[in-house]
Structures are given as C-alpha cells and as structure tokens.
Amino acid sequence: MFYKTKNKRFSNADKSSNLHSLIINELEEEIRSRLKQYTELTFRSLSFSKRKAVFIFVKNVVKSEAIAEFIIAPLQKVKNMEMNFEKLAETVSIADVSYCNQLEAICEHLIKGYGYLYIEEDPCGVLINVSYTVNRTLAASEKESHIYGPQVSFTESLSTNMNLVHYLIDDPDLKIIPLQIGKRVKKEVKIIYIEGIADDENVQTFKQRIKDIVVDDVQDSSRLAQMLEDNSFSAFPQYLLSELPNRLRIALLKGRIGVLVDQSPNVIIGPVTFFSFFESTGDLYMRWNIGTFSRMLRFLAILFSILLTPAYVAVITFHYEVIPSALLKSLGESRSNVPFPPLFEALLLEFLIELLREAGIRLPTKVGQTIGIVGGIVIGQAAVDAGFTSNILIIITALSALASYTTPSYMMGSSLRLLRFPIILFAGMWGGIGIMFGFCLIIIHLLHTTSLGRPYLIPFYPFRFKDFKYAFYTLPNQFYNNRPITNHPEDPSRFNSQKQNKKKDVDE
C-alpha cells in the first residue's frame, strides 16, 4: 500500500509517519485493514465545493444523536463552501476537537469513540469526541460509610471524578499531570497535587514510577497501587485506596498526592503511614475528644484482632497458671468434650469465620447478610453440640473477627486477619514466647517498610512527636496550625495560631 502525496510516497514501513494529501479511498482501505475486527466501522461520505470528504466512526461507541445534530447538520449547511481542516473544526458544534494526521493515533481514537473528519488532500483531519459512555450516577459510598461530612463518592468515569476534585478543591495551585499507561489497553491516569504544599520529590517519584510501568493493561487503581509499591511481597498495603473525594481533599491539603485511574472508582493516595489506614474522615467532623476515643478504640481493636485468639491457644496449651481459678472450672468443662488440641480448634474456627465472610461478599447483599448471621449462629452452635469446639473459643474468635472490621481501610483489615494465622501457629508451638516472636517479626517488618520511599511507621519511627496529633489522637482545631512534617510539605503552615486564638466579639 502506498500513500500518494504531492511530493513523495509513503510505503508500509512509514505507516506511523505524518500523512499529507491522502486520497480518501486509500485512507478508508488502510483504516479497514487496521480495524477489520470492528464490524460497526462506518464511513460517511461528504463533499465541500467539489472536494471529497469522509467522516469515520464506530457505531457502537459513539452517540448517534450527537453526530447528527452537532456534526452532520452544521456541515450540510456549508457543504457548498470552500473548506479545510481548520474551518471544519470551527464548524462542528462540539468542544473536544483536535487535529491529527497519524494513522496509529486515528485508529486508537476511533476505538475510544471519536469520529475522524477528513477532506481529501488536506494535510490532516479533525478528531471529534462523540464517545458514548455508560456512567454510574453519583451516590454515597458503600465501602467507607460515615455519619458526618460529604457523602458523595467517586465513580468509574475519570471526567466525573475530575469534576468532583475541582468542585471540592477550588485552589489555583491544584496541579494535574496527565499520563497514559498500558501497551494494548491504554488507560488515562491523573496525578493530582497542590503545588507549594506537596513535596516535589514525592511528585516526581510518583510520576517516574508510573512511567516505568510496562504492562498490557492496568485493570484498576488497586492493581496500579500494587505495581507502585516499594515492597510487593509485604502483607501491608503501602498506598491508601479510597472512593471518597473528601478524603482526597484532606490528603492533598496535608501534602500528599493522589492518583486517579480511568474506569476505577478509587483514588490512590501516597505517601502514607501505617497509622493512615486507621484514620476516618468522620473523626474530623466529630468533637476532638470523641474522635480521639474512636481512634484509640481502633488501635485497641488491632491488638484484639491479632493477639486474642493466639493468646487463648498459648494459655490453654502452655500457661494454665495464668487462668483465674473461677474461670478454670468452666473452661475445663467447656473443653472436656473437645477431642482436638487448641491449635487445631482455633485454626478450624478461624477458617470457618473466613469462609462465612467470603461467602457473604460473593453472594447478593441481602442473601449475604442472611448467610453471615444465620450461618454463624447455626454453625457455631452445631460445632459446640458436636464437640468440635468450646463456647469460650467461639466468643474469642467472634471478638477477633469483629475487631478486625473496625479498621476504616478494607485492605488493612484483610492484612490483619491474614496475620492472625501465623501467630496462632507460633502460639501453638511455643506459647507466649511464640506470640512475642511473631509480634516482633511484624514490628521489624514494619520498621523496614516504606511508602514512596518514606518510613511506614513515622511518626512513631522516626520519632516525630509533633505529628502524633495526626496519627494517634485528635485535638481542637487551634492545635493544627502546621501541616504534618511527615509528608515534607513545602508550605508547612496552615494558619497563624496567634491570630486564630484571638477571639473577639462584635462589641469589642
């Protein structure tokens, strides 16, 4: 195939070259050969003052009404006029219009729902966005529920998500870096940060890591977050995933960076710390003492989730002397009919809890709730009556599972549930020493973990006492005059604390 031009000819080896003065028939033939699998590929012939033109689009992915109303109708009014690609762009009544003369780019945009308008022998044509996308309407978040604050959540539409970001963050320093990833299925990615607050090194690190990703397709932001992690073998998530625009706003104003991915309802936030996964946006809208109580309750729930069942196994197996005498009798009676050792008994119940949780997620919502409640009661009672387990262990296992669900981040809650199993094994083999051994391994691993190159346990290690109010507890607003130094903000000050503390009534 050769492309005829006024001055030279392009061979097959030059298909990615600029196309100049292309003949309509050859353009149609080349696009058909490249997109032969798209049976809905359509060519609409036009003419302007005896010059041939063509409008190319794929039926299934475009808005037919928009083509008829905003493209064909305006062009028919000027069909007898002398036209070129610049006048074409001015004639159509659609805002998203661009020039293009590269076959590769033309085919890529046609698949995405663009139309290509070309006049024979013009140096280039016009790409017009007439894509038809099915978008989910804005609704409250189901995964991150809270009482106070904005309830709206992100959707799968990147344009809708960007509108939400601009609506919530009306700051002229809000910067957006557009990128594209995926060799075969290209996805649009937006890096979002506030210039003057976010550390430039963090921004450049994010940008470089995304550019270095070479894959066929990135299915979702959760997959992208795993590709960006410092240590992909760690059980702990190193980036925060959220579907709340308000959570992104809070993070950006603290000096963090967000990444939005097309066709994904979750934003990636980084760099984060271990304690970021236990912060809830609802804490900021409650009074500081209630917010502190809620956060402390979550940290206590972590210890319950990880250590309660292993402690039972260790005590029953090795450390009977720590059991109060009043409880020892009832505990012995409860375990008198159980033929299994405590280790196997605990692992069996933990497995049943995880089985019920997984079944509840996969089934429809109403059926899943019924299975979780009824299944837990029926199986638990039947297991006790059959002598497979004791009443006390059922209570302990239920408390551990309940404590793991208090974590605002689902990914962190899943990681904590996973860690219970190896610690139960250590407790069954070495008792209390095994529990401490497993717990120390977790702490050592967390000390070596980083998020975007930043320490994962900061402000606990390295020690930053000034940032404790952002991680472990909340205080009245006047104590938050500076941004957390953990994120290395370029502008550390939020407001002047002296002016803030001067409260004057109207009559003063």
Side-chain angles (χ1 to χ4, degrees):
M1 177 73 62
F2 288 88
Y3 304 110
K4 297 181 180 179
T5 68
K6 292 182 179 179
N7 300 318
K8 66 176 184 177
R9 301 160 68 88
F10 290 110
S11 67
N12 278 334
D14 302 315
K15 287 181 181 178
S16 61
S17 302
N18 291 348
L19 304 177
H20 183 71
S21 303
L22 192 63
I23 294 176
I24 293 274
N25 293 338
E26 293 181 344
L27 174 64
E28 292 185 6
E29 186 178 345
E30 182 61 30
I31 291 180
R32 285 186 191 277
S33 66
R34 288 171 178 256
L35 303 179
K36 56 186 176 182
Q37 70 274 26
Y38 291 90
T39 57
E40 300 295 324
L41 187 64
T42 304
F43 297 84
R44 176 74 180 269
S45 298
L46 301 168
S47 63
F48 299 98
S49 185
K50 299 182 180 180
R51 291 184 67 191
K52 292 182 180 180
V54 65
F55 182 63
I56 310 170
F57 60 94
V58 180
K59 279 186 179 179
N60 290 336
V61 294
V62 298
K63 296 179 182 177
S64 301
E65 299 83 1
I67 293 175
E69 182 178 355
F70 302 117
I71 298 176
I72 302 300
L75 291 177
Q76 286 179 341
K77 294 178 181 179
V78 296
K79 64 180 181 179
N80 295 323
M81 295 177 59
E82 188 69 29
M83 298 290 288
N84 57 31
F85 66 94
E86 293 177 343
K87 291 182 180 179
L88 284 177
E90 296 173 358
T91 303
V92 296
S93 304
I94 292 179
D96 191 355
V97 174
S98 59
Y99 305 136
C100 184
N101 64 350
Q102 301 248 348
L103 273 174
E104 292 286 349
I106 293 168
C107 293
E108 288 177 6
H109 282 79
L110 287 175
I111 296 170
K112 294 178 181 178
Y114 281 71
Y116 187 64
L117 188 56
Y118 179 75
I119 298 179
E120 194 170 50
E121 297 184 353
D122 259 15
C124 67
V126 181
L127 280 171
I128 307 169
N129 188 357
V130 285
S131 60
Y132 175 75
T133 54
V134 180
N135 297 327
R136 179 165 55 95
T137 57
L138 295 176
S141 172
E142 296 184 1
K143 293 183 290 185
E144 299 177 74
S145 58
H146 52 280
I147 299 173
Y148 300 108
Q151 302 293 321
V152 68
S153 64
F154 285 124
T155 70
E156 288 76 13
S157 171
L158 184 59
S159 59
T160 303
N161 294 341
M162 291 307 302
N163 287 336
L164 285 172
V165 171
H166 285 292
Y167 173 72
L168 291 174
I169 309 174
D170 186 15
D171 189 332
D173 290 327
L174 179 69
K175 302 298 179 184
I176 299 168
I177 302 177
L179 297 172
Q180 201 174 55
I181 54 176
K183 292 173 59 180
R184 293 188 175 273
V185 181
K186 297 188 182 299
K187 288 281 181 68
E188 194 174 356
V189 175
K190 305 280 189 182
I191 300 177
I192 309 167
Y193 67 99
I194 298 179
E195 190 176 35
I197 298 180
D199 183 20
D200 187 62
E201 183 180 346
N202 290 337
V203 175
Q204 296 304 321
T205 303
F206 245 133
K207 182 178 178 181
Q208 188 60 47
R209 289 191 182 184
I210 293 175
K211 283 185 173 182
D212 291 342
I213 294 175
V214 182
V215 291
D216 286 345
D217 177 32
V218 176
Q219 296 87 356
D220 187 75
S221 55
S222 58
R223 290 290 299 164
L224 178 61
Q226 295 176 45
M227 297 174 187
L228 296 172
E229 286 181 343
D230 296 19
N231 181 9
S232 58
F233 294 99
S234 175
F236 295 95
Q238 290 144 51
Y239 295 98
L240 183 63
L241 292 175
S242 176
E243 61 178 4
L244 297 177
N246 191 48
R247 186 156 196 168
L248 174 62
R249 175 176 64 177
I250 295 169
L252 294 181
L253 291 172
K254 286 182 178 179
R256 293 193 172 110
I257 303 160
V259 177
L260 281 170
V261 182
D262 193 18
Q263 301 176 17
S264 175
N266 295 299
V267 62
I268 304 171
I269 299 174
V272 293
T273 68
F274 175 77
F275 310 103
S276 302
F277 294 91
F278 303 95
E279 300 172 6
S280 173
T281 55
D283 296 345
L284 301 178
Y285 300 103
M286 296 181 181
R287 293 188 57 80
W288 66 272
N289 41 20
I290 300 175
T292 297
F293 174 76
S294 299
R295 195 168 296 182
M296 292 296 182
L297 186 64
R298 294 186 202 114
F299 287 122
L300 183 63
I302 300 172
L303 298 178
F304 265 75
S305 175
I306 296 178
L307 301 179
L308 197 57
T309 307
Y312 169 86
V313 174
V315 166
I316 296 299
T317 307
F318 296 98
H319 310 293
Y320 271 106
E321 65 277 4
V322 303
I323 304 175
S325 56
L327 181 61
L328 189 60
K329 181 179 179 181
S330 61
L331 184 61
E333 290 176 352
S334 177
R335 282 197 44 81
S336 59
N337 296 324
V338 179
F340 306 114
L343 175 61
F344 180 82
E345 181 188 7
L347 290 175
L348 177 63
L349 270 186
E350 290 289 351
F351 174 75
L352 288 176
I353 289 288
E354 293 300 315
L355 198 62
L356 287 171
R357 183 185 67 84
E358 192 68 17
I361 293 174
R362 303 292 169 238
L363 290 171
T365 305
K366 294 182 179 179
V367 179
Q369 292 175 353
T370 305
I371 290 294
I373 297 171
V374 177
I377 295 173
V378 172
I379 293 176
Q381 187 61 44
V384 173
D385 293 341
F388 280 97
T389 184
S390 61
N391 289 321
I392 294 178
L393 182 56
I394 286 182
I395 296 172
I396 290 174
T397 306
L399 283 175
S400 298
L402 191 63
S404 67
Y405 290 119
T406 61
T407 308
S409 170
Y410 179 80
M411 295 183 69
M412 178 58 75
S414 300
S415 299
L416 296 177
R417 287 195 297 272
L418 177 65
L419 292 174
R420 264 206 312 268
F421 288 94
I423 296 183
I424 290 174
L425 290 173
F426 290 148
M429 292 186 291
W430 301 308
I433 296 176
I435 294 177
M436 290 307 300
F437 175 73
F439 194 73
C440 288
L441 283 180
I442 294 174
I443 297 297
I444 292 170
H445 172 71
L446 290 174
L447 289 172
H448 284 82
T449 303
T450 57
S451 173
L452 206 69
R454 304 299 183 183
Y456 198 57
L457 281 187
I458 196 169
F460 182 75
Y461 177 84
F463 190 77
R464 300 284 188 272
F465 180 73
K466 290 184 177 180
D467 283 358
F468 271 41
K469 60 180 177 288
Y470 289 101
F472 299 105
Y473 50 83
T474 59
L475 293 174
N477 184 64
Q478 59 264 29
F479 291 95
Y480 290 92
N481 58 311
N482 291 320
R483 294 185 175 86
I485 58 178
T486 298
N487 302 323
H488 302 273
E490 293 186 4
D491 179 14
S493 177
R494 295 180 66 241
F495 57 83
N496 190 316
S497 58
Q498 294 180 352
K499 291 182 179 181
Q500 174 74 14
N501 294 331
K502 289 182 180 179
K503 298 180 179 178
K504 293 185 178 181
D505 295 331
V506 176
D507 56 354
E508 296 182 15

